[in-house]
Amino acid sequence: MVARKDLSVRMADLMHKFDNEAFVLSGRRYKLSAFRDIAVLKLRTGAGNYFDAVSAQGQDGLWLVVLKKDPVQENDLNGILEEIKKLDPRPARSVIVSLSGLDENARVRALQENCGYGMKTNLIA
C-alpha cells in the first residue's frame, strides 16, 4: 500500500521519522534535524508547470524538498529556484530530489545558487 501513496506524501511520512539522523551520501556526511510542521505542497512555476514539494521546519530553519520523477533539466531548475525565491518565509535549505537523474547543466546551476544567494540547494539523483 505504501507504493500507491503519492511521492510527496511518502516523503512527508519519512520526514516525520527523522530524529537527528545522520547518513552518508556520495561520500559526504549529512545530519538531519527532527522536523516539525511538515506540509505537502504543489507549487507552480511561472511557465505553468507544477512540482511537488514538502516543507518542514527543522532546527536550522525551514526546509523545502522538491520532488521530481522525471530528470531535472536546467529549465526545470530555473523555474523551481525562481519559485523558491518568492516563498515567504524563504527556506534556509532546499533539496531537489530526482528519481530519474539530472542534467549536468542543472547540477552546475544548483552549485552556483549555493554561492550566489546564501540558500543551500542540493540535488539528489
Side-chain angles (χ1 to χ4, degrees):
M1 289 298 177
V2 172
R4 291 186 183 173
K5 286 185 181 179
D6 187 59
L7 179 60
S8 54
V9 173
R10 292 188 324 207
M11 178 60 79
D13 289 346
L14 178 64
M15 291 176 80
H16 277 290
K17 296 177 186 274
F18 291 156
D19 188 14
N20 294 317
E21 305 292 333
F23 66 96
V24 176
L25 180 66
S26 300
R28 191 167 169 198
R29 188 174 193 274
Y30 296 89
K31 184 175 180 181
L32 298 173
S33 65
F35 292 107
R36 63 187 194 319
D37 301 329
I38 299 170
V40 174
L41 308 172
K42 189 164 278 289
L43 302 175
R44 183 173 174 236
T45 66
N49 299 326
Y50 287 89
F51 59 92
D52 294 320
V54 176
S55 85
Q57 185 65 44
Q59 294 168 336
D60 55 347
L62 183 67
W63 284 58
L64 184 72
V65 180
V66 175
L67 305 163
K68 193 142 176 8
K69 293 179 184 176
D70 302 325
V72 175
Q73 303 296 323
E74 186 175 13
N75 61 339
D76 297 325
L77 181 65
N78 290 336
I80 291 167
L81 292 173
E82 181 181 307
E83 292 308 306
I84 289 172
K85 290 175 189 171
K86 292 178 186 176
L87 293 175
D88 185 32
R90 191 164 165 190
R93 303 235 4 146
S94 61
V95 179
I96 301 171
V97 178
S98 171
L99 300 182
S100 303
L102 56 110
D103 178 73
E104 189 59 34
N105 291 332
R107 182 183 302 274
V108 170
R109 176 86 165 97
L111 291 172
Q112 290 171 340
E113 286 299 312
N114 280 341
C115 298
Y117 296 97
M119 176 180 61
K120 304 265 186 200
T121 303
N122 298 86
L123 289 168
I124 300 173

